[in-house]
Amino acid sequence: ATSTDPTDSLGEQLLRRGRITREQLRHAVAQAQGLKDVEKALVSLGLLSPADLMPALQAQASEIILSLFTLPEGSFLFEPGERANPHSRAAGWSAHPMGRWAIPRDV
């Protein structure tokens, strides 16, 4: 799941959960050159361990997806296309932490 809302970023999600401070987030963003680089900066600064990166990304995706259910109105569009790259972030997700949602292993 992706979002264009800056408050949905991984850094903001970690900030809301009390995992990092605003100053630590500013430092990571200043060191980064793009979205993926913020993730790398968080790890390289020791603010997030490599082992904690995937669960943090899963929690971020969960927040984005669940926030859709609070919208009073909106629209969506399914577009035909190729399946996601098996080496993407989603590869290997077997179950959603919120319960019954499942994400296929071969996504």
Side-chain angles (χ1 to χ4, degrees):
T2 59
S3 172
T4 57
D5 185 343
T7 63
D8 287 334
S9 71
L10 179 62
E12 289 293 331
Q13 185 256 347
L14 293 170
L15 184 65
R16 281 192 300 277
R17 293 178 181 264
R19 298 283 309 272
I20 61 173
T21 66
R22 175 67 61 191
E23 187 57 36
Q24 289 171 323
L25 177 56
R26 283 188 191 120
H27 187 85
V29 170
Q31 189 176 30
Q33 303 223 7
L35 180 63
K36 296 256 189 207
D37 292 332
V38 172
E39 296 167 7
K40 290 177 185 175
L42 289 166
V43 172
S44 71
L45 292 169
L47 302 174
L48 189 65
S49 74
D52 289 337
L53 181 58
M54 184 56 75
L57 291 169
Q58 289 173 326
Q60 176 195 23
S62 297
E63 282 189 15
I64 292 169
I65 291 167
L66 293 176
S67 72
L68 297 174
F69 296 107
T70 64
L71 298 175
E73 62 182 56
S75 62
F76 63 90
L77 173 68
F78 290 107
E79 294 183 359
E82 294 183 31
R83 295 183 78 177
N85 179 340
H87 302 292
S88 70
R89 290 184 193 169
W93 286 14
S94 59
H96 191 282
M98 295 305 293
R100 294 185 171 176
W101 295 2
I103 300 173
R105 285 190 151 301
D106 65 340
V107 171

